[in-house]
Amino acid sequence: QVRLVESGGGLVQPGGSLRLSCTASGFNLASTSIGWFRQAPGKEREGVSCTSRTMGGTYYINPVKGRFTISRDNDQNTVFLQMDSLNPEDTAVYYCVTEVADAHGECYPIVTPGRSTWGQGTQVTVSS
C-alpha cells in the first residue's frame, strides 16, 4: 500500500532546531512532488513548503523562509524538512503529502482532493 510516515517532531525551545522526515513505502518518492503542511490547534491547515518532482524546484511560505529547508534523499525514499530558529508560532502537527501542484519544475503547496496521500503527522511543539 502507498504510505507516508512522518517522524522527528518533539518539544524544542524557541531558537532551537528539528529535522522532520517523511518516508514513503509502496512507491518511489522521486515520482511525485512532496509538500509539508501544518495545522495548529484551532487553526486551518497551512501549506508550508514543497519540492517539485523534477528540476529541484522548492517553495516556502514567507514565515519560514530562511529558517526551513526541504530536501530529498531518494536513495532512502525520504523527504526532510530542516527547521531552524523555531518560534512558538511554528507549533503544529506537521504532515507530508504527495502530489502537490507541480509544473515547469516549480511547486506550490496545494493539493487536489482524491489525488494526494497524507501521512499521520508528527507533533512539533516550540515552548520555553
Side-chain angles (χ1 to χ4, degrees):
Q1 293 277 42
V2 175
R3 292 188 64 209
L4 295 174
V5 178
E6 301 95 337
S7 63
L11 175 64
V12 65
Q13 293 186 2
S17 297
L18 288 171
R19 188 181 73 163
L20 307 184
S21 299
C22 173
T23 299
S25 60
F27 69 101
N28 190 342
L29 277 184
S31 69
T32 180
S33 57
I34 295 290
W36 284 97
F37 289 72
R38 65 187 181 185
Q39 188 164 24
K43 297 183 179 179
E44 295 183 350
R45 185 185 64 198
E46 174 186 41
V48 176
S49 181
C50 60
T51 177
S52 177
R53 185 180 70 86
T54 61
M55 291 182 275
T58 58
Y59 174 88
Y60 305 90
I61 59 171
N62 286 334
V64 310
K65 285 182 179 178
R67 301 190 297 117
F68 290 11
T69 304
I70 191 169
S71 62
R72 293 178 181 264
D73 186 335
N74 289 336
D75 291 338
Q76 296 184 11
N77 215 22
T78 298
V79 171
F80 302 99
L81 186 67
Q82 177 68 42
M83 305 186 296
D84 298 321
S85 301
L86 287 163
N87 59 62
E89 289 70 37
D90 297 315
T91 296
V93 177
Y94 284 72
Y95 303 88
C96 60
V97 59
T98 67
E99 301 291 348
V100 301
D102 186 13
H104 306 293
E106 302 291 337
C107 67
Y108 193 78
I110 294 178
V111 300
T112 299
R115 289 188 57 86
S116 297
T117 297
W118 293 79
Q120 291 297 116
T122 185
Q123 176 71 51
V124 172
T125 302
V126 185
S127 177
S128 60

